[in-house]
Amino acid sequence: MASVLTNCESCGNYTYDEEMGYYFCEVDLDEDEMARFIRGHFTECPYFQFRDEYRIVRKQM
């Protein structure tokens, strides 16, 4: 799996929690990965999935 530059805003794993009022990553990062992410040293994310709202529609065609 190729690494992709981190851009959480366009990742399908980055969702908004209406109850808490903030965005979070749904991927269960291990302790080291989370520390790098919080410190801003997480430049490549192996879990990145481009958010594609039309993916389901294309499958229906």
Side-chain angles (χ1 to χ4, degrees):
M1 178 187 278
S3 296
V4 178
L5 290 177
T6 301
N7 185 1
C8 294
E9 290 80 20
S10 63
C11 181
N13 295 318
Y14 196 60
T15 57
Y16 185 73
D17 184 346
E18 292 182 18
E19 187 175 312
M20 299 302 285
Y22 60 84
Y23 285 90
F24 70 99
C25 181
E26 290 184 327
V27 176
D28 290 330
L29 301 175
D30 67 18
E31 188 175 329
D32 294 331
E33 290 173 326
M34 182 58 79
R36 284 196 311 267
F37 181 75
I38 291 172
R39 290 183 186 126
H41 301 287
F42 205 70
T43 56
E44 295 181 354
C45 181
Y47 309 109
F48 180 84
Q49 291 182 342
F50 187 71
R51 183 176 303 156
D52 188 3
E53 295 86 11
Y54 299 106
R55 177 176 40 197
I56 295 172
V57 174
R58 281 195 296 271
K59 286 184 179 181
Q60 293 174 352
M61 296 177 132

